[in-house]
Amino acid sequence: MLLAIRSLVAAASGAPPGSGPILDGLDLELEEGSVHALLGPNGSGKSTFAHVVMGHPGYEIQSGSVSFAGVDLEGLATWQRARLGVFLAPQQSTPVPGVPLREAIAAAVSLRSPDKPHATSPEVMISAEAQRAGLDMALLSRALNVDLSGGEQKRSEVVQMSMLAPRLAILDEIDSGLDIDGIRAVTRRLRELVLENNMAVLVVTHRTRILEELNPRRVHIMVHGRIVDGGGMDLARSIEATGFSAYR
Amino acid sequence: MERACSGYRGDPAVELNRFTKERSTGLAGPAWLTARRIGALDLLATSDPPSDADENWRYSGIDALDFGLLAPPSLPGTSLPGTSPLRATEPATSPPGASPPFTPVTDLVRKFGISPSITIVIRDGRLASIEVPEDGPPAIGVATCTQPSADLLGAGDVPTAFSARYLATEPAALKEMPPPEWPDLFTALHDAFDPGPVLIAVPEGTEIDKPIAVLQLVTGQRASNKNAPDDSTADDVPVTITTLAIELGASSRASVIEIAMEATTLNAGESREGASGTGDGAGSRSVVLPATYQYLGEGATLGYVGLQILPGDYWQVGRLASCVQADAKLSSLSISLGGRYARLVTESMLAGRGSSSELLALYFGNGSQVHDMRTVQQHGGSHTKSNLLFQGAVGGEARSVYSGLIRVLNGAVKSDAFQTNRNLILSDGARADSVPNLDIQENDVKCSHASSIGPIDPDQVYYLETRGIHPDEARRLVVTGFFREIVGRSPVSGIGEWLQAKVERHTGPSQPAATQAAGDAGGGEAGSDAPVNATGQGRQVTGMSSGGE
Amino acid sequence: MAPLLEVIGLHVEAGGQPILRGVDLAVEEGEICAVMGPNGSGKSTLAGTITGSPEYKVTAGTIRFRGEDVTGWPPDVRAKAGIFMAFQHPEAIDGVPLVQFLRQAVAARTGQQTSILEVRVALMEWLEKLGMDPALAGRYLNEGFSGGERKRNEILQMALLQPEVAILDETDSGLDIDGIQAVTSGVLAVRSARPRMGMLLVTHYAKFLDNLAPERIHIMVRGEVRRTGGRELADLIEAEGYEQWQQ
């Protein structure tokens, strides 16, 4: 199992006791090369879950475990998890003024695989990836996530993901703010990376549109910090029609 | 050097008793310069030493300077002990095989990424040498009114004729310059004991592409006993006074880079600033009072970079004043990296209709350094535009102060004035203060100010970390990114790379605390009395006032 | 009679780049219009320019509100006149309590002082209508709000400010299905109270339009309105994307 989450309970770091955990006994498994979807109402803990897997210092695990490719992630810093092959495209990409996208990617790529020389130079690869994702080439030289439209942000995330070639990509609302063409470009690239690299994908979303393109192996429903239901595309479609009221 | 930090303050007349009238009037110079000095002596006699309690010295920490130890600068012509005077040089065309007498200073300037059209070396305020490239000097004048300078340049007639004129009359760069916004003991001291300005004049219509480099070397030594009254002690803190006047004739264009450093830099080949760092030096080795005047004739364009890399036990109280005539355009960048306490008062007067100024500054403090930046943007002419961006970062126990005033005078209609001050706090012990002020006497104007103070945004570090970038490297990226805009706007190109590397080195590997939890990164402790000050969260303050149409 | 909001030949630059290249559209009193288009086509720029964001520079064309040229009006004056925008990414403002903010905004809009109590009552009412946590009433503006709460909070502001024309910039994106329902019923409630209010919806999501049933849908591509039509346009795009429009 690539990602195995067992009875995970997590809360905001330094949260007052008794305020209740955000993740409250979450179980989830993801195989290599598989696509899963995570659906849930706003505030159910989906983004928190993504950050906890990534090791955000703002959250702490109270019990349970997160293991990735057999490695217990607890105790590993975010950058270490990233180098193991975990990638997160967050819901909101933090602007980093003055640091060009190209420079950040170059720094990340050189750190991630210093011993593995690339056949193609990263410069050439970045341009090719930008083209595939439909990202305006000029944005590669502009500051990371600064003054980007919603759609540009998402495409930038996909370019970064493709460059880093992770083993697991957690995509938090990668479709939000993205036009139809963008959704198609993103899902096309995701399918390729799944095939080429055996990458696993966890898509966090509110819409079936992206799922229709990706055809996930399993759809998980998260409410109040735990997985309350699971199924296939039919489940996702019925949620899109009726909402989550059945689970409350 | 305990005494230098004692915080003792007393009667200025007693404290500064070595700065005598006789010593001032004994300085060489034409009548107009003597008159300037005498006027300043009167002010000096009535000036109290500044104190942290004064509005214009708030947060400065100037109380730590013991005025009683200040010793006057040496007299002209004095050969200083232990140093060999710099020689005037021929154009850098040594015959093949001949070893040059010393490393040409131009090579030093090139280390900063600058390829100068001419290098002017000033030592303790006095013109020491001029180095011109093989293809000859640019068509500018370089002169002092206290030393014969034509032979220093050794080329062309322009400087000689120019020098003669300069001896007789006060140049516009001094005469037309508005008086100091805040006259105090230091401005009085500067003007009363000014060894004489070094003037760079660019004639009307002349355009110089490559920058004019000025090396302001400070020896940090007091006058030797045979030239000074025999009342000196080992604890003396010598005062060095320098004045550079840059005068651009109508429709001319030039750029100047002025580098202030300790003279040993030249002999040792590397800067003591790098070695001793960062304000950690105990006590006070030297006080430097530099003044740079920028006068732009109608339609002139000046790019100026001032780079201050003095050692960490120096105090600097400096002034950078500009007077910009109609349709002229000033771009100025002050880079403050060195010194234990480095104050720079930037005063810009947009005198002529349609004139503009871009005023930039970058300061970076470590150890126990203090960077004290005060600015005045004055609009005298109509349709004038000033755009100020001061950015600093402080780590260790360093502090920075920014205080800015926008003043739009009556008649300066349709003027725009912008003022932005941004500060990054890199450690828990560091602190920054920012105080904006507006004084608007005209209706039809647009003014705005904004300031921010905060730690490195932990979200930015986290985001980069999610890409596998180590937090130390992430912080370096964020800090260099913070300065990238201002570095990119440098009016003298070439220095950007050196500066970027310097900033990266200054940022260095971070404290272990920051490595373990990006969420805890920095958070300056700050007093509650500041209008805008540091907190762990960071604060953003913006204001806008807009006149009716 | 002049339309409620009219955009005529609007050319707009941002950061020196031309974004809008001659946009024409109108919103009549009581009308709901939608703008759809690929990312980067200028939808948010159009919304921002109508509300007077200083980021955008109008190089040609005019914006008229009830027949009056408002192109040069500062944003606060437009807001006071009743032009409202629900932001795509509402910012958190630390230290400004939500109640305080709403009270000031309402005072600016109506020109009358409203008591904290009145604002609080209206706030609680709308928090409930929009399915929001009542505890949010005690927070700073958007501070600690989830993405969905921020979006709902924009609609809450619309309800309290009672605008003449409201622009919703991707209010649906990032909202779960329940959130979309809540926002939709919120919008419909405001409209039933103010039937003459005009609306301009910017969206990528055809489903968001189902209950709001806009009379006209404008397709915007590369800074121009390429086609105007009914609901069938939204379905066409959902099926085929924008590729055919990009030439």
Side-chain angles (χ1 to χ4, degrees):
Chain A
M1 200 54 59
L2 185 63
L3 181 71
I5 314 285
R6 309 231 189 276
S7 311
L8 183 63
V9 178
S13 302
S19 59
I22 305 173
L23 303 181
D24 196 5
L26 186 140
D27 290 283
L28 191 89
E29 288 193 341
L30 216 75
E31 317 81 26
E32 271 185 292
S34 69
V35 177
H36 286 219
L38 182 60
L39 274 64
N42 291 126
S44 58
K46 302 185 300 298
S47 295
T48 298
F49 169 65
H51 284 308
V52 167
V53 174
M54 203 67 234
H56 191 293
Y59 302 101
E60 60 192 18
I61 294 176
Q62 293 177 337
S63 63
S65 68
V66 180
S67 89
F68 177 75
V71 179
D72 183 0
L73 290 186
E74 203 181 351
L76 291 186
T78 297
W79 60 276
Q80 291 168 316
R81 301 180 193 208
R83 289 192 202 178
L84 281 177
V86 185
F87 179 87
L88 167 64
Q91 200 178 331
Q92 293 289 330
S93 306
T94 310
V96 190
V99 178
L101 172 58
R102 198 187 286 280
E103 197 171 295
I105 293 179
V109 169
S110 69
L111 286 166
R112 179 136 147 64
S113 46
D115 48 339
K116 199 168 59 177
H118 291 275
T120 332
S121 81
E123 280 295 294
V124 175
M125 282 172 65
I126 292 172
S127 300
E129 291 295 351
Q131 192 136 27
R132 280 168 144 162
L135 182 73
D136 182 356
M137 226 52 105
L139 296 180
L140 293 176
S141 308
R142 292 223 323 244
L144 189 55
N145 303 332
V146 174
D147 292 334
L148 294 192
S149 74
E152 287 166 344
Q153 258 181 47
K154 302 303 181 188
R155 288 175 166 93
S156 161
E157 291 294 332
V158 170
V159 170
Q160 294 179 58
M161 174 188 71
S162 305
M163 287 300 295
L164 291 170
R167 299 177 68 186
L168 166 68
I170 302 171
L171 309 170
D172 193 356
E173 292 193 23
I174 194 80
D175 54 336
S176 140
L178 203 56
D179 62 28
I180 290 292
D181 299 347
I183 288 178
R184 287 185 179 160
V186 167
T187 49
R188 196 182 309 131
R189 194 70 192 109
L190 284 171
R191 282 194 303 262
E192 286 165 2
L193 288 171
V194 168
L195 283 176
E196 289 163 17
N197 300 351
N198 211 19
M199 180 176 83
V201 181
L202 182 65
V203 180
V204 180
T205 185
H206 289 299
R207 306 279 181 268
T208 48
R209 191 71 181 76
I210 188 170
L211 302 183
E212 300 286 0
E213 304 272 345
L214 283 174
N215 194 22
R217 185 178 294 178
R218 194 167 173 79
V219 173
H220 307 268
I221 308 298
M222 184 166 172
V223 177
H224 295 315
R226 68 181 79 159
I227 303 297
V228 295
D229 202 356
M233 271 306 292
D234 290 346
L235 178 59
R237 291 190 194 107
S238 87
I239 297 271
E240 176 134 59
T242 61
F244 295 100
S245 42
Y247 300 108
R248 295 193 207 238
Chain B
M1 299 290 283
E2 195 59 34
R3 282 213 288 149
C5 301
S6 64
Y8 162 80
R9 298 181 66 223
D11 179 8
V14 176
E15 287 190 347
L16 293 172
N17 60 3
R18 283 179 286 174
F19 290 83
T20 59
K21 186 173 180 183
E22 291 67 36
R23 181 170 279 271
S24 167
T25 52
L27 293 167
W32 60 263
L33 183 57
T34 310
R36 270 179 81 93
R37 290 182 185 132
I38 289 170
L41 278 172
D42 293 342
L43 175 62
L44 186 63
T46 59
S47 298
D48 290 326
S51 122
D52 289 2
D54 303 340
E55 180 56 32
N56 295 317
W57 293 85
R58 231 172 132 192
Y59 312 118
S60 68
I62 194 67
D63 288 355
L65 183 67
D66 186 344
F67 287 84
L69 294 178
L70 298 189
S74 55
L75 289 166
T78 307
S79 173
L80 295 162
T83 56
S84 56
L86 281 165
R87 266 172 293 163
T89 58
E90 295 301 308
T93 48
S94 315
S99 61
F102 56 86
T103 314
V105 285
T106 304
D107 287 353
L108 182 94
V109 175
R110 289 208 179 94
K111 281 191 189 162
F112 296 100
I114 305 294
S115 174
S117 60
I118 185 170
T119 305
I120 299 160
V121 182
I122 299 171
R123 193 186 184 87
D124 288 339
R126 291 187 198 87
L127 190 57
S129 72
I130 295 175
E131 209 166 89
V132 297
E134 278 177 50
D135 51 356
I140 61 166
V142 180
T144 74
C145 51
T146 53
Q147 302 161 261
S149 55
D151 56 326
L152 280 166
L153 189 55
D157 288 335
V158 179
T160 318
F162 165 79
S163 194
R165 180 180 69 78
Y166 184 38
L167 281 168
T169 56
E170 185 173 7
L174 277 77
K175 204 166 73 183
E176 306 294 330
M177 202 58 62
E181 176 71 23
W182 300 294
D184 58 25
L185 181 133
F186 284 110
T187 61
L189 208 53
H190 178 279
D191 289 356
F193 295 90
D194 186 352
V198 175
L199 176 69
I200 298 173
V202 181
E204 191 177 327
T206 304
E207 301 202 344
I208 315 281
D209 287 329
K210 287 201 215 163
I212 297 161
V214 179
L215 281 184
Q216 288 281 9
L217 302 180
V218 182
T219 56
Q221 296 176 47
R222 59 186 180 77
S224 65
N225 283 355
K226 69 181 155 187
N227 293 301
D230 197 16
D231 57 359
S232 52
T233 73
D235 288 344
D236 277 357
V237 176
V239 175
T240 304
I241 293 169
T242 72
T243 308
L244 178 68
I246 304 166
E247 200 170 304
L248 266 68
S251 304
S252 66
R253 180 174 57 78
S255 60
V256 175
I257 176 162
E258 182 181 13
I259 304 171
M261 54 165 69
E262 199 185 44
T264 50
T265 305
L266 272 192
N267 302 334
E270 69 174 51
S271 172
R272 225 162 56 78
E273 170 259 340
S276 81
T278 50
D280 290 330
S284 326
R285 181 182 156 93
S286 189
V287 172
V288 188
L289 308 180
T292 299
Y293 303 113
Q294 305 158 330
Y295 179 87
L296 283 74
E298 287 190 9
T301 305
L302 173 66
Y304 170 86
V305 171
L307 172 61
Q308 184 272 107
I309 46 171
L310 292 166
D313 48 6
Y314 272 57
W315 293 64
Q316 173 192 275
V317 181
R319 242 190 113 208
L320 174 64
S322 58
C323 181
V324 187
Q325 299 299 326
D327 300 319
K329 201 170 173 288
L330 168 69
S331 294
S332 184
L333 167 63
S334 302
I335 303 162
S336 192
L337 300 174
R340 174 201 160 158
Y341 169 78
R343 177 182 175 95
L344 184 66
V345 181
T346 303
E347 302 177 36
S348 144
M349 167 57 103
L350 294 174
R353 182 192 159 97
S355 56
S356 69
S357 66
E358 175 164 78
L359 305 169
L360 309 171
L362 183 164
Y363 45 97
F364 204 125
N366 260 319
S368 54
Q369 277 184 295
V370 180
H371 289 293
D372 183 354
M373 306 302 246
R374 315 272 162 164
T375 67
V376 190
Q377 292 159 263
Q378 288 213 77
H379 289 249
S382 68
H383 298 83
T384 47
K385 185 173 180 175
S386 67
N387 193 359
L388 179 147
L389 174 62
F390 273 45
Q391 276 190 213
V394 277
E397 306 280 307
R399 291 190 297 116
S400 71
V401 186
Y402 172 79
S403 159
L405 173 64
I406 293 176
R407 179 181 295 133
V408 181
L409 299 170
N410 229 317
V413 294
K414 307 272 182 208
S415 289
D416 293 354
F418 301 103
Q419 184 195 87
T420 306
N421 174 231
R422 297 192 196 121
N423 298 279
L424 209 48
I425 312 267
L426 303 178
S427 65
D428 288 339
R431 164 177 170 155
D433 293 284
S434 185
V435 191
N437 291 294
L438 295 176
D439 174 6
I440 314 294
Q441 299 167 13
E442 189 58 71
N443 280 325
D444 189 6
V445 299
K446 248 200 269 178
C447 297
S448 77
H449 61 79
S451 77
S452 66
I453 302 173
I456 290 184
D457 183 350
D459 289 341
Q460 295 179 0
V461 175
Y462 169 70
Y463 183 85
L464 292 168
E465 249 196 287
T466 66
R467 306 314 188 220
I469 296 171
H470 191 276
D472 285 347
E473 174 67 12
R475 286 164 62 90
R476 246 194 304 276
L477 280 170
V478 170
V479 175
T480 45
F482 174 74
F483 284 118
R484 190 178 301 262
E485 178 195 346
I486 208 162
V487 169
R489 278 161 71 181
S490 169
V492 174
S493 57
I495 189 138
E497 225 163 283
W498 177 85
L499 200 52
Q500 203 77 42
K502 191 85 189 167
V503 166
E504 272 181 43
R505 256 205 315 283
H506 264 49
T507 311
S510 60
Q511 305 80 341
T515 321
Q516 60 155 48
D520 290 347
E525 201 54 46
S528 56
D529 53 341
V532 184
N533 56 37
T535 72
Q537 295 280 304
R539 281 276 185 275
Q540 184 91 20
V541 173
T542 55
M544 172 87 78
S545 77
S546 177
E549 290 289 295
Chain C
M1 209 176 84
L4 180 62
L5 178 76
E6 197 176 9
V7 173
I8 306 159
L10 194 65
H11 285 72
V12 173
E13 283 182 0
Q17 297 289 315
I19 310 281
L20 301 188
R21 306 155 195 265
V23 171
D24 294 283
L25 61 82
V27 180
E28 304 288 344
E29 267 193 3
E31 188 189 26
I32 297 185
C33 285
V35 176
M36 300 184 80
N39 293 130
S41 58
K43 303 182 299 299
S44 291
T45 302
L46 175 65
T49 308
I50 293 172
T51 51
S53 161
E55 268 182 71
Y56 305 116
K57 192 178 157 210
V58 176
T59 52
T62 47
I63 301 165
R64 291 179 180 276
F65 177 63
R66 296 195 184 287
E68 197 171 351
D69 185 349
V70 301
T71 320
W73 288 15
D76 58 322
V77 180
R78 297 187 203 205
K80 207 180 155 192
I83 300 176
F84 174 87
M85 176 155 89
F87 283 88
Q88 191 176 355
H89 300 293
E91 295 282 339
I93 303 182
D94 187 19
V96 177
L98 179 59
V99 175
Q100 198 85 38
F101 169 79
L102 289 171
R103 186 181 173 216
Q104 281 182 9
V106 169
R109 166 83 178 104
T110 61
Q112 289 166 358
Q113 284 304 320
T114 317
S115 74
I116 282 279
L117 189 67
E118 282 176 86
V119 172
R120 190 175 285 279
V121 168
L123 172 59
M124 297 313 288
E125 181 195 330
W126 278 96
L127 284 173
E128 199 192 332
K129 275 189 192 166
L130 291 165
M132 297 166 77
D133 184 351
L136 297 179
R139 297 258 190 95
Y140 293 136
L141 180 57
N142 288 332
E143 196 60 46
F145 283 39
S146 72
E149 285 166 343
R150 288 184 188 205
K151 296 291 183 126
R152 292 177 206 217
N153 188 29
E154 294 293 296
I155 300 304
L156 185 148
Q157 290 173 44
M158 180 182 85
L160 265 62
L161 291 175
Q162 308 188 350
E164 308 296 315
V165 61
I167 302 160
L168 271 52
D169 189 6
E170 293 194 29
T171 300
D172 57 308
S173 76
L175 270 184
D176 63 27
I177 219 66
D178 300 345
I180 289 184
Q181 294 299 352
V183 161
T184 306
S185 57
V187 168
L188 292 173
V190 173
R191 261 180 58 84
S192 67
R194 299 179 62 76
R196 303 175 75 173
M197 180 177 80
M199 297 195 79
L200 192 63
L201 312 172
V202 176
T203 186
H204 288 298
Y205 188 43
K207 269 202 134 101
F208 183 52
L209 304 175
D210 285 351
N211 293 322
L212 294 173
E215 278 117 286
R216 282 185 285 182
I217 295 178
H218 303 281
I219 305 298
M220 197 158 151
V221 179
R222 298 191 186 195
E224 289 172 343
V225 173
R226 289 280 169 87
R227 204 195 294 180
T228 299
R231 172 63 215 242
E232 75 287 351
L233 272 185
D235 295 330
L236 181 73
I237 284 154
E238 189 83 7
E240 297 180 5
Y242 292 101
E243 263 155 50
Q244 55 159 324
W245 307 82
Q246 295 278 17
Q247 286 82 43

